[in-house]
Amino acid sequence: MIEVNGLTRTYGAHRAVDDVTFRAEPGRVTGFLGPNGAGKSTCMRMMVGLTPPTAGTATILERQYTALPNPGRHVGVLLDASAQHPGRTGREVLTLGARTMGLPKGRVDELLEVVGLTPVEAKRQVRNYSLGMRQRLGIAHALLGDPKVLILDEPANGLDPAGIRWMRSLLRGFADEGGTVLLSSHLLHEIEVIADDLVVIGRGRIVAQGAKQELLATAGTSVTSTDNQRLGEALAGQGVSVTAVGQKLRVDAEPIVVGKVALQHQIVLTELTSAGAAGLEDMFLQLTAGDAREGVAA
């Protein structure tokens, strides 16, 4: 479990992280979303003792990260795949980690196989790795100590579609076995697919959090019909909020409500779905609109 309470970090007059509180539970993947500069990475650095908080606390497995004995055996961390020593081989990076944690040599071979780095690639210097290979190596290092908690910042960067699917399966399996996963990503679709819970941060503050399904339910319904104008007026007459989005209507109500109104007014529906992933993206952009930079989340 990860528990963050009132976490705050200031730099002079600038408050980079402002009273952030949330929990990441065992057996669940928690998606951590926020635009560039929102304070997400600063939060993660404070969780693992790399940046001291101005106020508040962050505990992992009920202890501060720096107080954990041999922390790599309890918490796997990947904050920057490019931070690995460029002059060492992938195998050397993992071997040094294994020695530091007191692990057997065989653990290195196990993890190289898990993340799909071949023996030839393992002998190659990290400076010659692609970003995707560095991500795989970083994930291998995070898993090296067989931890109970994973804290990963943008682990899908540089991975091809097959690699993203592999990572998704790996993290889902880790959580299903009782592990805790805190995953930050700008790939909203990947978060929507894998996450059980969502924490959205903007301007250093939490702007939304909760179970994914509960948050997506608030995104409403996407609908099109043979007469969108009349359908919109009929829904508005029932006190339902309606927004035109291109050729569709975004309705703040369950699909069954929309269907009943359409039936009452004899309007033929051509599409009726929950907002789903599009709703997650709309919710994210709406909640963080004042903090977005070039419309890219990170």
Side-chain angles (χ1 to χ4, degrees):
M1 176 192 295
I2 301 170
E3 190 162 4
V4 175
N5 286 303
L7 205 59
T8 300
R9 175 66 192 187
T10 59
Y11 295 95
H14 175 61
R15 191 169 286 242
V17 176
D18 188 3
D19 195 27
V20 167
T21 298
F22 69 88
R23 293 174 63 168
E25 301 283 356
R28 299 178 72 82
V29 176
T30 299
F32 197 24
L33 299 173
N36 288 330
K40 174 169 50 66
S41 294
T42 302
C43 280
M44 298 179 109
R45 289 180 60 84
M46 286 191 283
M47 289 177 208
V48 298
L50 294 176
T51 297
T54 303
T57 60
T59 58
I60 304 171
L61 301 173
E62 300 183 346
R63 304 179 73 171
Q64 291 188 351
Y65 179 86
T66 53
L68 291 169
N70 200 351
R73 300 291 295 268
H74 305 281
V75 186
V77 180
L78 174 59
L79 299 184
D80 183 0
S82 297
Q84 298 148 353
H85 194 298
R88 295 194 177 114
T89 67
R91 178 176 290 278
E92 287 171 344
V93 169
L94 295 182
T95 298
L96 286 171
R99 288 178 180 176
T100 300
M101 296 181 217
L103 300 170
K105 293 182 179 179
R107 184 64 177 161
V108 172
D109 291 316
E110 290 177 20
L111 266 300
L112 285 170
E113 183 175 354
V114 166
V115 302
L117 288 175
T118 68
V120 172
E121 291 169 338
K123 293 179 182 179
R124 195 180 303 168
Q125 289 184 331
V126 173
R127 64 164 50 95
N128 297 317
Y129 277 15
S130 66
L131 178 56
M133 292 173 64
R134 293 187 187 194
Q135 293 286 21
R136 288 177 182 268
L137 180 62
I139 292 172
H141 198 282
L143 292 170
L144 197 58
D146 193 22
K148 296 180 180 178
V149 176
L150 289 177
I151 298 176
L152 309 174
D153 193 2
E154 303 282 0
N157 274 358
L159 294 178
D160 58 20
I164 291 174
R165 176 172 290 187
W166 160 80
M167 185 198 68
R168 183 195 307 160
S169 176
L170 179 73
L171 298 184
R172 183 72 269 163
F174 182 89
D176 288 346
E177 292 179 1
T180 301
V181 179
L182 180 64
L183 170 69
S184 78
S185 178
H186 68 280
L187 301 174
L188 299 182
H189 173 67
E190 288 307 313
I191 290 291
E192 194 273 337
V193 170
I194 193 175
D196 302 297
D197 302 303
L198 298 174
V199 177
V200 184
I201 186 171
R203 294 188 180 274
R205 297 183 64 87
I206 299 297
V207 294
Q209 64 177 302
K212 178 185 67 179
Q213 294 303 325
E214 294 176 359
L215 290 177
L216 287 179
T218 65
T221 298
S222 177
V223 60
T224 58
S225 71
T226 55
D227 192 340
N228 279 358
Q229 181 175 347
R230 194 157 65 92
L231 177 60
E233 293 171 353
L235 289 164
Q238 298 290 323
V240 177
S241 177
V242 181
T243 304
V245 182
Q247 300 300 313
K248 300 181 180 181
L249 298 178
R250 181 61 53 80
V251 183
D252 290 341
E254 293 293 318
I256 190 171
V257 173
V258 178
K260 286 182 177 180
V261 171
L263 179 61
Q264 291 171 358
H265 291 79
Q266 297 185 341
I267 300 171
V268 177
L269 300 182
T270 56
E271 180 182 344
L272 179 64
T273 62
S274 295
L280 172 61
E281 183 174 19
D282 287 347
M283 178 194 73
F284 175 83
L285 292 174
Q286 180 180 3
L287 291 172
T288 62
D291 200 36
R293 299 185 180 180
E294 298 178 0
V296 178

